[in-house]
Amino acid sequence: MEDPLGALSRARLQLFLWMPVALSAGVGLYFSRLTEPGFADYSLAVLFGLLSAALALRAPVPMRFPAALVMLAALGFLLAGLRAQSVAAPVLSFRYYGPVTGRVVMIDRAASDRIRVTLDTVRLDRVSPSRTLARVRVTLHGAVPATLEPGAQVMMSAHLSPPPPPAAPDAYDFRRSAWFDQLGAVGYTRSPLLRAAPPDPGDWALAAHRTRMGLSQAIQERISGQPGAIAAALMTGDRSGLSEATREAMRRSNLAHLIAISGLHMGMLSGFVFALVRYGLALVGRPALIWPTKKLAALAALIAASAYLWLAGPAVSTQRAWIMVSVMLGAVLVDRRALSLRTVALAASLLLIWKPESLTEPGFQMSFAATTALIVALGPWTRAARRLPRPLRPVLMLVATSLIAGAATAPIVAAQFHRLSEYGVLANLLAVPAMGLLVMPMGVLAAILAPLGLAGPALWAMGLGTGWILRVATWVSGFEGSVLSIVQPGPAVVPLLALGVIGMILTRGAGRSLSGLAILAATLLWSRAPADRPALLIAPEAQQIGLMTAQGRVLAKPGAGFISGRWLEADGDATSLEEAAARPAFTGPDAARLTQFRAAPLILLTGKSAPARLADLCTPGALAVIAARLPEPPKGCELWDINRLRETGAVAIDSLGRITTTAQTKGRRLWTAP
C-alpha cells in the first residue's frame, strides 16, 4: 500500500486543484446548517482559518496540505455568510393587495407562459419605508402594453405574497434563491399595467438591458416565430419570446442548455472570434511572423466575450461562462495551457469567492462537471484520434463530446430535475453542429454587419439554424418514452458522487479506493430513494394532500398544480395530475375528500363549508387537513389547519407515522424567517 505521508506530500502539489473542493466544503457547511451562524460560529471559523494557515506555512510537510484544505474550507464558510448578510433586504411578511409602483428591471416569461416583470424602487401602500422591498416580481395576466421596456416606471394593482415555501420538506427552497436575488415578494395582476414614466436616458445601469430588448425585438422581426425567439435568446439572453411548448420540447430533448447562455455559447463565440482574428492576421503576410497573433486573437476573443456578457445580462450562467472563458483566454495571454484542470479549478474558485450561493445551483454543478469530464477525456481522445481516418475525426469527436458531457451531467440532471432524456445524445448530435457551424458564426457576422445595414442574410442563415434546432427538439421530444422519470435522491447523494468522482481524478492508491467507496455509497443511497418517499404529503397551505399507494401517489383532487407536480416529479412518477387524482383512494365531494391512512380516517376539507364539516368528521384517531384558520380547533383528531401549517410548512409523514416538517429540514435561516 502507498505510504500515506508520501501521498499527502505529493497531494500538497495539487492544492490548486483541490482549492474549489475545499471552498465548496465550507460553503456547503454554511448552507447545510439548520440555524443561522452567529458571532461565535464566525469567530470559530476565523480561529480555525488562522490556525490552519499557520500550520500550512510552518508545520511538517505532510501536515501542510490538510491544513491548507481546512483553511480554505473556513474561508468558504465565512464568504458564504458574508454574502448572505450583504444581500439582506426586506421580505414581505403578509399577503398584500393594492397599488404597486416601481421601475422595470427585467422582463421574462413565467412557467404559465405569461409575461412577468421584475421591479425595483418599489412602493407599496401601507408599507413603511424601513420595510420597503428591494425587488418584486409580478406575472401579468392582463394585456401587456406595447410600450413595456426596461427602465420604465410602471404602476398596477397587484396581489403579492412572500416567496413561497418548499412544496415538501425535502423539496427545493425557492426562498433561498429569492433571498440572494433580493426578491422580497412575488405575485400577479389581472389589471392593466400602466406606464407612469419613460426610462431615464441617463440610467446607464439599465442601458445593457434596453439594448438587449431592442436587439431581441429586431431579431424576432427578421426571424419570425419560435426560431426567432430562440435566436433572440441565444444572442441577447432575452427568453421572453419563448413559448412554454418550445421550452418543454427543449427540456424533453435535453436541448434546454442551448437556450440558456452558458459555457457552450460563450466558448463557441470566443472560439469563432479567436479563429477569425488569428487566421485573418495570418493573411497579412510577413508581419504575421513577427506579431503575437495568438495573443492578439485571444485578446480579441476576450473583448468579444466581455461584450457578450454585457449584452446578455447578469444571469449567473452567463457570468459563470464568462469567467471560465476569461480564465482560459488569460492562460493563452500568459503562455499557459488554456484547457487544463488548473484553469477549471481557478474559474470555479473565482465564482465561489464571488457568489458562494452558486454551489447550490444546478447550472454551476453541470457546467463544471461537463468541462472537467471533457478535459480529463482530452488526453485519451487525442491518442485515440491519431488512429482514426482523418475525415471521421470531427464526427466521432462530436459523438464522444456529447457522450462524455451527457454522462458527466446525467446524475446532476436526474437528481435536480428528476428526469432524464433518453434520446438526449441523439438530439445533441443533430443540434449542436448547427449551433457551432451556423447559428453562432452567423450571429457574430450579423452583429458585425448590423451597423452597415447588411445583417439580413446572416440573420436569415441564423434562422435556418435555429429552425433546425427547434425541429430536432420537437421531433425527439415526441418519441414514446423520450423522458425517463427519476426518484429524488437524498441530500447526501450528489455531494458523495461529486467527492467520489473528483477523488478518482485527483488521487491515487488509498485515496482512489476511498473515492470509489464514496461513489458506491451514493449509488446505494439513491437505490433506496423509492422506499424512502413519504407515505403522506400535506401542502403548506392545506390545499392538497398526496397519499402513496401501490399504484403511486394519489392526489386528493385536481388542482394545486405546481405543488402536485413537484410531488409527482420527486416520486419519479410521470403521471399527469388528472390521472394521479383519478387513482382509487379518495371518496367524497371536492370540498371533503376522505380516505384511510394507517387504518384511520384521512380527511381534506376545503372551501367555505370546511369548518362546519369538521365537527362531524373529527373523530378520535382521524387525521384532518383543513384549508382554514380555526381559532379553537376541535379535540379528538390530529388536525393540520392553516395556522399550524404556517408554522411548520409542508409536512411529510412516513408509513410508521413519523412526521417531518419543512421547518425541521430547512431550519431557521435568513431566508426562512417569517
Side-chain angles (χ1 to χ4, degrees):
M1 181 177 290
E2 187 177 14
D3 177 20
L5 295 181
L8 284 173
S9 180
R10 283 186 293 275
R12 182 176 61 88
L13 301 176
Q14 293 185 306
L15 178 60
F16 196 86
L17 299 180
W18 283 96
M19 181 166 60
V21 181
L23 287 170
S24 297
V27 173
L29 176 62
Y30 172 82
F31 284 111
S32 64
R33 286 176 56 98
L34 295 179
T35 58
E36 192 64 29
F39 178 78
D41 300 295
Y42 290 123
S43 298
L44 192 61
V46 170
L47 180 61
F48 265 93
L50 292 175
L51 290 175
S52 301
L55 286 173
L57 293 173
R58 298 184 177 276
V61 171
M63 294 297 297
R64 293 181 183 179
F65 178 69
L69 293 182
V70 173
M71 177 194 69
L72 290 169
L75 177 62
F77 182 86
L78 292 169
L79 288 170
L82 178 62
R83 170 71 176 165
Q85 295 289 345
S86 68
V87 299
V91 177
L92 195 67
S93 59
F94 59 93
R95 293 185 181 276
Y96 171 91
Y97 175 71
V100 179
T101 62
R103 181 184 66 160
V104 177
V105 293
M106 185 177 294
I107 304 169
D108 62 349
R109 194 176 289 269
S112 61
D113 222 13
R114 299 183 183 275
I115 294 295
R116 64 185 180 187
V117 294
T118 302
L119 309 177
D120 69 357
T121 62
V122 180
R123 284 180 291 172
L124 307 177
D125 267 8
R126 306 180 306 279
V127 175
S128 66
S130 64
R131 299 300 302 166
T132 297
L133 308 180
R135 290 189 171 197
V136 301
R137 194 168 69 194
V138 183
T139 302
L140 308 182
H141 287 253
V144 179
T147 56
L148 184 63
E149 58 181 323
Q153 296 286 333
V154 297
M155 61 176 63
M156 69 193 87
S157 293
H159 297 263
L160 298 179
S161 59
D170 60 349
Y172 168 72
D173 194 349
F174 171 73
R175 297 172 298 179
R176 183 172 63 195
S177 61
W179 177 266
F180 286 96
D181 290 336
Q182 295 188 309
L183 194 62
V186 295
Y188 65 93
T189 180
R190 300 188 186 280
S191 63
L193 182 145
L194 304 177
R195 177 163 147 160
D200 181 0
D203 184 3
W204 289 102
L206 288 175
H209 198 14
R210 287 197 297 271
T211 304
R212 179 185 317 128
M213 299 305 292
L215 288 175
S216 175
Q217 183 177 356
I219 291 171
Q220 293 183 69
E221 287 174 355
R222 301 297 293 270
I223 307 174
S224 61
Q226 287 301 289
I230 293 175
L234 295 174
M235 295 307 298
T236 70
D238 171 33
R239 288 179 281 175
S240 61
L242 295 169
S243 68
E244 182 58 25
T246 296
R247 293 169 186 257
E248 182 62 16
M250 300 293 276
R251 285 192 291 263
R252 292 180 64 87
S253 60
N254 199 28
L255 295 178
H257 63 97
L258 296 185
I259 56 174
I261 295 176
S262 61
L264 175 68
H265 309 77
M266 197 72 75
M268 287 180 173
L269 173 82
S270 57
F272 178 73
V273 172
F274 181 90
L276 186 67
V277 173
R278 191 172 188 191
Y279 289 119
L281 290 174
L283 297 177
V284 302
R286 186 179 298 273
L289 300 176
I290 303 172
W291 296 345
T293 55
K294 186 176 181 180
K295 293 184 178 181
L296 290 174
L299 184 61
L302 182 59
I303 293 172
S306 300
Y308 194 28
L309 170 69
W310 178 81
L311 178 64
V316 174
S317 61
T318 312
Q319 296 170 345
R320 179 174 58 248
W322 179 84
I323 288 175
M324 293 181 69
V325 167
S326 297
V327 169
M328 292 179 182
L329 292 173
V332 174
L333 291 173
V334 296
D335 297 317
R336 293 291 186 271
R337 185 180 170 189
L339 291 174
S340 71
L341 290 177
R342 287 181 176 269
T343 55
V344 175
L346 179 58
S349 299
L350 289 175
L351 192 58
L352 288 168
I353 291 170
W354 182 31
K355 290 190 174 180
E357 70 273 15
S358 300
L359 179 68
T360 65
E361 297 167 355
F364 175 92
Q365 300 164 12
M366 293 166 62
S367 290
F368 286 103
T371 306
T372 301
L374 290 171
I375 289 176
V376 169
L378 182 62
W381 165 255
T382 303
R383 291 190 293 271
R386 296 184 186 133
R387 304 186 184 95
L388 300 173
R390 189 175 294 273
L392 290 178
R393 291 179 190 176
V395 176
L396 293 177
M397 184 174 183
L398 178 63
V399 173
T401 299
S402 296
L403 288 172
I404 293 166
T409 57
I412 300 170
V413 172
Q416 300 285 4
F417 304 109
H418 321 311
R419 61 161 78 183
L420 277 179
S421 176
E422 295 205 63
Y423 304 100
V425 172
L426 172 64
N428 278 274
L429 288 176
L430 295 174
V432 172
M435 176 71 72
L437 300 176
L438 190 60
V439 175
M440 295 306 292
M442 290 301 103
V444 174
L445 289 179
I448 295 172
L449 297 173
L452 304 176
L454 302 175
L459 288 176
W460 174 80
M462 187 181 185
L464 293 179
T466 55
W468 168 255
I469 291 171
L470 180 59
R471 285 193 292 274
V472 169
T474 304
W475 177 58
V476 171
S477 65
F479 290 173
E480 184 177 355
S482 60
V483 175
L484 180 66
S485 296
I486 306 294
V487 180
Q488 177 178 307
V493 169
V494 171
L496 278 173
L497 276 176
L499 283 173
V501 172
I502 292 170
M504 294 292 285
I505 295 171
L506 299 182
T507 64
R508 298 178 182 177
R512 187 163 289 183
S513 299
L514 290 174
S515 300
L517 289 176
I519 295 174
L520 178 61
T523 305
L524 292 175
L525 286 174
W526 204 334
S527 68
R528 283 185 45 83
D532 293 336
R533 293 300 300 157
L536 177 66
L537 287 168
I538 303 174
E541 296 285 344
Q543 67 270 51
Q544 181 68 284
I545 58 177
L547 180 66
M548 185 64 77
T549 68
Q551 291 76 37
R553 192 169 303 279
V554 184
L555 301 177
K557 58 181 182 177
F562 176 80
I563 291 175
S564 301
R566 300 295 81 74
W567 289 352
L568 295 176
E569 286 178 4
D571 291 337
D573 190 342
T575 305
S576 69
L577 303 186
E578 292 74 18
E579 291 172 333
R583 286 168 173 164
F586 288 91
T587 59
D590 283 350
R593 302 293 283 164
L594 308 175
T595 189
Q596 293 283 313
F597 175 60
R598 301 185 68 242
L602 172 63
I603 309 148
L604 173 64
L605 300 174
T606 56
K608 295 181 179 179
S609 62
R613 293 175 182 265
L614 182 62
D616 295 331
L617 297 173
C618 190
T619 57
L623 193 159
V625 180
I626 180 168
R629 292 182 178 86
L630 302 179
E632 296 183 6
K635 297 181 180 180
C637 64
E638 176 73 13
L639 182 66
W640 294 89
D641 69 345
I642 292 291
N643 289 329
R644 187 177 181 185
L645 288 169
R646 284 286 171 87
E647 295 292 329
T648 65
V651 177
I653 306 177
D654 67 13
S655 58
L656 300 177
R658 292 174 296 199
I659 297 173
T660 304
T661 69
T662 298
Q664 293 172 334
T665 59
K666 306 303 181 184
R668 189 76 169 182
R669 305 304 304 271
L670 291 171
W671 46 88
T672 64

mmCIF file of all heavy atoms in Angstrom, residues 509-539:
data_model
loop_
_atom_site.group_PDB
_atom_site.id
_atom_site.type_symbol
_atom_site.label_atom_id
_atom_site.label_comp_id
_atom_site.label_asym_id
_atom_site.label_seq_id
_atom_site.Cartn_x
_atom_site.Cartn_y
_atom_site.Cartn_z
ATOM 1 N N GLY A 509 -3.997 5.433 -5.293
ATOM 2 C CA GLY A 509 -3.878 4.484 -4.196
ATOM 3 C C GLY A 509 -5.083 4.483 -3.278
ATOM 4 O O GLY A 509 -6.228 4.309 -3.692
ATOM 5 N N ALA A 510 -4.801 4.700 -1.973
ATOM 6 C CA ALA A 510 -5.853 4.653 -0.968
ATOM 7 C C ALA A 510 -6.915 5.721 -1.220
ATOM 8 O O ALA A 510 -8.111 5.487 -1.010
ATOM 9 C CB ALA A 510 -5.248 4.837 0.423
ATOM 10 N N GLY A 511 -6.473 6.897 -1.685
ATOM 11 C CA GLY A 511 -7.436 7.961 -1.967
ATOM 12 C C GLY A 511 -8.413 7.569 -3.043
ATOM 13 O O GLY A 511 -9.615 7.852 -2.949
ATOM 14 N N ARG A 512 -7.926 6.882 -4.062
ATOM 15 C CA ARG A 512 -8.824 6.454 -5.132
ATOM 16 C C ARG A 512 -9.776 5.357 -4.637
ATOM 17 O O ARG A 512 -10.945 5.314 -5.058
ATOM 18 C CB ARG A 512 -7.996 5.961 -6.314
ATOM 19 C CG ARG A 512 -8.807 5.648 -7.535
ATOM 20 C CD ARG A 512 -7.931 5.558 -8.775
ATOM 21 N NE ARG A 512 -7.430 6.870 -9.172
ATOM 22 C CZ ARG A 512 -6.681 7.077 -10.268
ATOM 23 N NH1 ARG A 512 -6.351 6.052 -11.038
ATOM 24 N NH2 ARG A 512 -6.259 8.281 -10.569
ATOM 25 N N SER A 513 -9.301 4.507 -3.750
ATOM 26 C CA SER A 513 -10.180 3.481 -3.187
ATOM 27 C C SER A 513 -11.299 4.118 -2.362
ATOM 28 O O SER A 513 -12.462 3.708 -2.450
ATOM 29 C CB SER A 513 -9.366 2.518 -2.323
ATOM 30 O OG SER A 513 -8.376 1.863 -3.075
ATOM 31 N N LEU A 514 -10.935 5.107 -1.537
ATOM 32 C CA LEU A 514 -11.957 5.809 -0.756
ATOM 33 C C LEU A 514 -12.957 6.518 -1.666
ATOM 34 O O LEU A 514 -14.148 6.573 -1.368
ATOM 35 C CB LEU A 514 -11.292 6.810 0.181
ATOM 36 C CG LEU A 514 -10.505 6.224 1.356
ATOM 37 C CD1 LEU A 514 -9.771 7.329 2.114
ATOM 38 C CD2 LEU A 514 -11.440 5.461 2.299
ATOM 39 N N SER A 515 -12.466 7.062 -2.771
ATOM 40 C CA SER A 515 -13.354 7.736 -3.715
ATOM 41 C C SER A 515 -14.345 6.742 -4.326
ATOM 42 O O SER A 515 -15.534 7.053 -4.492
ATOM 43 C CB SER A 515 -12.533 8.410 -4.815
ATOM 44 O OG SER A 515 -11.641 9.360 -4.272
ATOM 45 N N GLY A 516 -13.848 5.554 -4.635
ATOM 46 C CA GLY A 516 -14.746 4.530 -5.146
ATOM 47 C C GLY A 516 -15.809 4.141 -4.140
ATOM 48 O O GLY A 516 -16.976 3.914 -4.499
ATOM 49 N N LEU A 517 -15.431 4.090 -2.864
ATOM 50 C CA LEU A 517 -16.402 3.785 -1.811
ATOM 51 C C LEU A 517 -17.450 4.893 -1.714
ATOM 52 O O LEU A 517 -18.632 4.620 -1.454
ATOM 53 C CB LEU A 517 -15.683 3.604 -0.480
ATOM 54 C CG LEU A 517 -14.846 2.332 -0.325
ATOM 55 C CD1 LEU A 517 -14.117 2.338 1.020
ATOM 56 C CD2 LEU A 517 -15.728 1.081 -0.442
ATOM 57 N N ALA A 518 -17.037 6.167 -1.885
ATOM 58 C CA ALA A 518 -17.998 7.281 -1.841
ATOM 59 C C ALA A 518 -19.013 7.155 -2.970
ATOM 60 O O ALA A 518 -20.212 7.374 -2.773
ATOM 61 C CB ALA A 518 -17.256 8.616 -1.929
ATOM 62 N N ILE A 519 -18.543 6.785 -4.168
ATOM 63 C CA ILE A 519 -19.458 6.603 -5.304
ATOM 64 C C ILE A 519 -20.403 5.442 -5.042
ATOM 65 O O ILE A 519 -21.613 5.518 -5.312
ATOM 66 C CB ILE A 519 -18.654 6.376 -6.598
ATOM 67 C CG1 ILE A 519 -17.857 7.637 -6.943
ATOM 68 C CG2 ILE A 519 -19.578 5.996 -7.745
ATOM 69 C CD1 ILE A 519 -16.923 7.467 -8.123
ATOM 70 N N LEU A 520 -19.872 4.354 -4.480
ATOM 71 C CA LEU A 520 -20.714 3.198 -4.154
ATOM 72 C C LEU A 520 -21.763 3.562 -3.111
ATOM 73 O O LEU A 520 -22.936 3.174 -3.235
ATOM 74 C CB LEU A 520 -19.832 2.053 -3.651
ATOM 75 C CG LEU A 520 -20.563 0.774 -3.219
ATOM 76 C CD1 LEU A 520 -21.334 0.184 -4.387
ATOM 77 C CD2 LEU A 520 -19.580 -0.238 -2.648
ATOM 78 N N ALA A 521 -21.369 4.326 -2.085
ATOM 79 C CA ALA A 521 -22.318 4.741 -1.048
ATOM 80 C C ALA A 521 -23.420 5.612 -1.638
ATOM 81 O O ALA A 521 -24.607 5.444 -1.299
ATOM 82 C CB ALA A 521 -21.579 5.498 0.060
ATOM 83 N N ALA A 522 -23.056 6.531 -2.543
ATOM 84 C CA ALA A 522 -24.061 7.384 -3.180
ATOM 85 C C ALA A 522 -25.035 6.542 -4.002
ATOM 86 O O ALA A 522 -26.252 6.773 -3.987
ATOM 87 C CB ALA A 522 -23.372 8.425 -4.059
ATOM 88 N N THR A 523 -24.506 5.557 -4.716
ATOM 89 C CA THR A 523 -25.363 4.689 -5.528
ATOM 90 C C THR A 523 -26.336 3.899 -4.660
ATOM 91 O O THR A 523 -27.529 3.763 -4.988
ATOM 92 C CB THR A 523 -24.486 3.736 -6.354
ATOM 93 O OG1 THR A 523 -23.552 4.491 -7.127
ATOM 94 C CG2 THR A 523 -25.344 2.891 -7.286
ATOM 95 N N LEU A 524 -25.838 3.366 -3.536
ATOM 96 C CA LEU A 524 -26.706 2.597 -2.648
ATOM 97 C C LEU A 524 -27.786 3.497 -2.028
ATOM 98 O O LEU A 524 -28.952 3.088 -1.905
ATOM 99 C CB LEU A 524 -25.872 1.933 -1.550
ATOM 100 C CG LEU A 524 -24.919 0.824 -2.017
ATOM 101 C CD1 LEU A 524 -24.056 0.328 -0.858
ATOM 102 C CD2 LEU A 524 -25.720 -0.333 -2.618
ATOM 103 N N LEU A 525 -27.404 4.704 -1.630
ATOM 104 C CA LEU A 525 -28.386 5.632 -1.061
ATOM 105 C C LEU A 525 -29.462 5.976 -2.077
ATOM 106 O O LEU A 525 -30.649 6.050 -1.743
ATOM 107 C CB LEU A 525 -27.687 6.905 -0.583
ATOM 108 C CG LEU A 525 -26.871 6.798 0.705
ATOM 109 C CD1 LEU A 525 -26.124 8.097 0.970
ATOM 110 C CD2 LEU A 525 -27.783 6.474 1.894
ATOM 111 N N TRP A 526 -29.059 6.193 -3.320
ATOM 112 C CA TRP A 526 -30.037 6.541 -4.357
ATOM 113 C C TRP A 526 -30.963 5.359 -4.646
ATOM 114 O O TRP A 526 -32.151 5.542 -4.910
ATOM 115 C CB TRP A 526 -29.302 6.956 -5.629
ATOM 116 C CG TRP A 526 -30.125 7.855 -6.524
ATOM 117 C CD1 TRP A 526 -31.490 7.921 -6.588
ATOM 118 C CD2 TRP A 526 -29.643 8.807 -7.460
ATOM 119 N NE1 TRP A 526 -31.884 8.854 -7.512
ATOM 120 C CE2 TRP A 526 -30.760 9.409 -8.059
ATOM 121 C CE3 TRP A 526 -28.374 9.198 -7.856
ATOM 122 C CZ2 TRP A 526 -30.636 10.400 -9.047
ATOM 123 C CZ3 TRP A 526 -28.257 10.177 -8.833
ATOM 124 C CH2 TRP A 526 -29.370 10.772 -9.413
ATOM 125 N N SER A 527 -30.413 4.136 -4.581
ATOM 126 C CA SER A 527 -31.247 2.954 -4.851
ATOM 127 C C SER A 527 -32.339 2.789 -3.789
ATOM 128 O O SER A 527 -33.362 2.158 -4.047
ATOM 129 C CB SER A 527 -30.365 1.702 -4.917
ATOM 130 O OG SER A 527 -29.818 1.400 -3.639
ATOM 131 N N ARG A 528 -32.094 3.358 -2.605
ATOM 132 C CA ARG A 528 -33.091 3.273 -1.537
ATOM 133 C C ARG A 528 -34.129 4.386 -1.611
ATOM 134 O O ARG A 528 -35.097 4.386 -0.854
ATOM 135 C CB ARG A 528 -32.404 3.352 -0.175
ATOM 136 C CG ARG A 528 -31.715 2.077 0.271
ATOM 137 C CD ARG A 528 -31.168 2.238 1.678
ATOM 138 N NE ARG A 528 -32.144 2.863 2.574
ATOM 139 C CZ ARG A 528 -33.129 2.213 3.191
ATOM 140 N NH1 ARG A 528 -33.270 0.912 3.007
ATOM 141 N NH2 ARG A 528 -33.956 2.851 3.995
ATOM 142 N N ALA A 529 -33.933 5.339 -2.514
ATOM 143 C CA ALA A 529 -34.792 6.516 -2.544
ATOM 144 C C ALA A 529 -36.280 6.190 -2.719
ATOM 145 O O ALA A 529 -37.122 6.791 -2.038
ATOM 146 C CB ALA A 529 -34.322 7.467 -3.638
ATOM 147 N N PRO A 530 -36.662 5.248 -3.603
ATOM 148 C CA PRO A 530 -38.107 4.969 -3.731
ATOM 149 C C PRO A 530 -38.744 4.522 -2.417
ATOM 150 O O PRO A 530 -39.875 4.909 -2.109
ATOM 151 C CB PRO A 530 -38.149 3.862 -4.788
ATOM 152 C CG PRO A 530 -36.899 4.034 -5.579
ATOM 153 C CD PRO A 530 -35.867 4.504 -4.601
ATOM 154 N N ALA A 531 -38.026 3.721 -1.642
ATOM 155 C CA ALA A 531 -38.581 3.247 -0.368
ATOM 156 C C ALA A 531 -38.659 4.358 0.668
ATOM 157 O O ALA A 531 -39.423 4.246 1.640
ATOM 158 C CB ALA A 531 -37.742 2.086 0.165
ATOM 159 N N ASP A 532 -37.865 5.408 0.490
ATOM 160 C CA ASP A 532 -37.841 6.497 1.466
ATOM 161 C C ASP A 532 -38.839 7.604 1.167
ATOM 162 O O ASP A 532 -38.920 8.578 1.919
ATOM 163 C CB ASP A 532 -36.428 7.108 1.520
ATOM 164 C CG ASP A 532 -35.401 6.139 2.077
ATOM 165 O OD1 ASP A 532 -35.809 5.236 2.815
ATOM 166 O OD2 ASP A 532 -34.202 6.297 1.754
ATOM 167 N N ARG A 533 -39.571 7.513 0.072
ATOM 168 C CA ARG A 533 -40.534 8.562 -0.246
ATOM 169 C C ARG A 533 -41.644 8.594 0.806
ATOM 170 O O ARG A 533 -42.083 7.545 1.307
ATOM 171 C CB ARG A 533 -41.154 8.334 -1.629
ATOM 172 C CG ARG A 533 -40.194 8.490 -2.789
ATOM 173 C CD ARG A 533 -39.602 9.890 -2.835
ATOM 174 N NE ARG A 533 -40.634 10.893 -2.986
ATOM 175 C CZ ARG A 533 -40.503 12.166 -2.624
ATOM 176 N NH1 ARG A 533 -39.380 12.586 -2.061
ATOM 177 N NH2 ARG A 533 -41.487 13.022 -2.794
ATOM 178 N N PRO A 534 -42.129 9.783 1.188
ATOM 179 C CA PRO A 534 -43.145 9.888 2.243
ATOM 180 C C PRO A 534 -44.437 9.178 1.868
ATOM 181 O O PRO A 534 -44.870 9.199 0.704
ATOM 182 C CB PRO A 534 -43.361 11.402 2.372
ATOM 183 C CG PRO A 534 -42.151 12.031 1.775
ATOM 184 C CD PRO A 534 -41.685 11.100 0.707
ATOM 185 N N ALA A 535 -45.062 8.565 2.853
ATOM 186 C CA ALA A 535 -46.353 7.916 2.621
ATOM 187 C C ALA A 535 -47.465 8.944 2.456
ATOM 188 O O ALA A 535 -48.437 8.705 1.736
ATOM 189 C CB ALA A 535 -46.678 6.979 3.782
ATOM 190 N N LEU A 536 -47.318 10.094 3.115
ATOM 191 C CA LEU A 536 -48.332 11.146 3.026
ATOM 192 C C LEU A 536 -47.648 12.500 2.968
ATOM 193 O O LEU A 536 -46.719 12.771 3.728
ATOM 194 C CB LEU A 536 -49.273 11.092 4.239
ATOM 195 C CG LEU A 536 -50.348 12.180 4.318
ATOM 196 C CD1 LEU A 536 -51.357 12.028 3.179
ATOM 197 C CD2 LEU A 536 -51.061 12.148 5.669
ATOM 198 N N LEU A 537 -48.117 13.350 2.064
ATOM 199 C CA LEU A 537 -47.613 14.723 1.945
ATOM 200 C C LEU A 537 -48.764 15.695 2.113
ATOM 201 O O LEU A 537 -49.864 15.476 1.575
ATOM 202 C CB LEU A 537 -46.944 14.938 0.585
ATOM 203 C CG LEU A 537 -45.573 14.270 0.388
ATOM 204 C CD1 LEU A 537 -45.162 14.310 -1.079
ATOM 205 C CD2 LEU A 537 -44.524 14.958 1.254
ATOM 206 N N ILE A 538 -48.528 16.754 2.864
ATOM 207 C CA ILE A 538 -49.523 17.804 3.086
ATOM 208 C C ILE A 538 -48.934 19.111 2.574
ATOM 209 O O ILE A 538 -47.824 19.500 2.960
ATOM 210 C CB ILE A 538 -49.880 17.936 4.572
ATOM 211 C CG1 ILE A 538 -50.392 16.604 5.121
ATOM 212 C CG2 ILE A 538 -50.914 19.038 4.783
ATOM 213 C CD1 ILE A 538 -50.642 16.606 6.627
ATOM 214 N N ALA A 539 -49.658 19.799 1.708
ATOM 215 C CA ALA A 539 -49.184 21.048 1.111
ATOM 216 C C ALA A 539 -49.117 22.147 2.167
ATOM 217 O O ALA A 539 -49.853 22.127 3.154
ATOM 218 C CB ALA A 539 -50.097 21.466 -0.032
#
